[in-house]
C-alpha cells in the first residue's frame, strides 16, 4: 500500500502500527515511510523501543525516510 502512495489508506495503516503481530507493525511502518505520513511520528518513535529488533529497524527506517528532524532525539535514544 505504501508503494502505491494511496494516502486514503493512511489512517488504516497507522492503526496497524499497534498490531500484536510484529510483522504487521513492521510492514505498516515501512508503508508509512513510503507514504510520507508525518502525522504518525509519535507512533513510529514508540516502535523504536519495541522488543523485536526488526520492528525497531523498520520504525527507524520509516523515520529516516520521513526526514523529520524532530525524530532525531528518539532515534539517538534508541541507539
Amino acid at each position: 500500500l505504501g508503494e502505491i502512495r494511496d494516502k486514503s489508506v493512511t489512517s488504516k495503516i497507522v492503526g496497524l502500527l499497534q498490531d500484536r503481530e510484529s510483522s504487521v507493525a513492521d510492514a505498516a511502518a515501512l508503508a508509512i515511510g513510503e507514504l510520507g505520513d508525518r502525522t504518525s511520528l509519535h507512533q513510529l518513535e514508540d516502535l523504536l523501543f519495541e522488543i523485536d529488533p526488526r520492528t525497531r529497524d523498520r520504525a527507524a527506517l520509516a523515520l529516516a525516510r520521513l526526514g523529520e528532524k524532530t525524530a532525531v532525539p528518539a532515534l539517538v535514544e534508541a541507539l
Side-chain angles (χ1 to χ4, degrees):
L1 291 173
E3 290 179 12
I4 62 172
R5 301 195 190 285
D6 183 353
K7 295 210 182 232
S8 69
V9 298
T10 301
S11 64
K12 292 177 182 161
I13 294 174
V14 170
L16 294 174
L17 289 172
Q18 312 276 325
D19 198 279
R20 289 184 172 174
E21 181 62 45
S22 62
S23 63
V24 173
D26 298 349
L30 288 177
I32 287 171
E34 291 289 326
L35 286 167
D37 178 45
R38 288 179 163 71
T39 64
S40 54
L41 285 173
H42 184 57
Q43 292 95 324
L44 289 170
E45 289 173 351
D46 288 345
L47 289 179
L48 293 172
F49 303 97
E50 285 292 314
I51 292 172
D52 187 310
R54 185 176 172 138
T55 301
R56 293 191 309 260
D57 178 62
R58 298 296 192 252
L61 182 59
L63 288 166
R65 284 185 175 157
L66 293 175
E68 187 64 43
K69 291 181 181 180
T70 61
V72 171
L75 286 163
V76 170
E77 184 180 344
L79 292 174

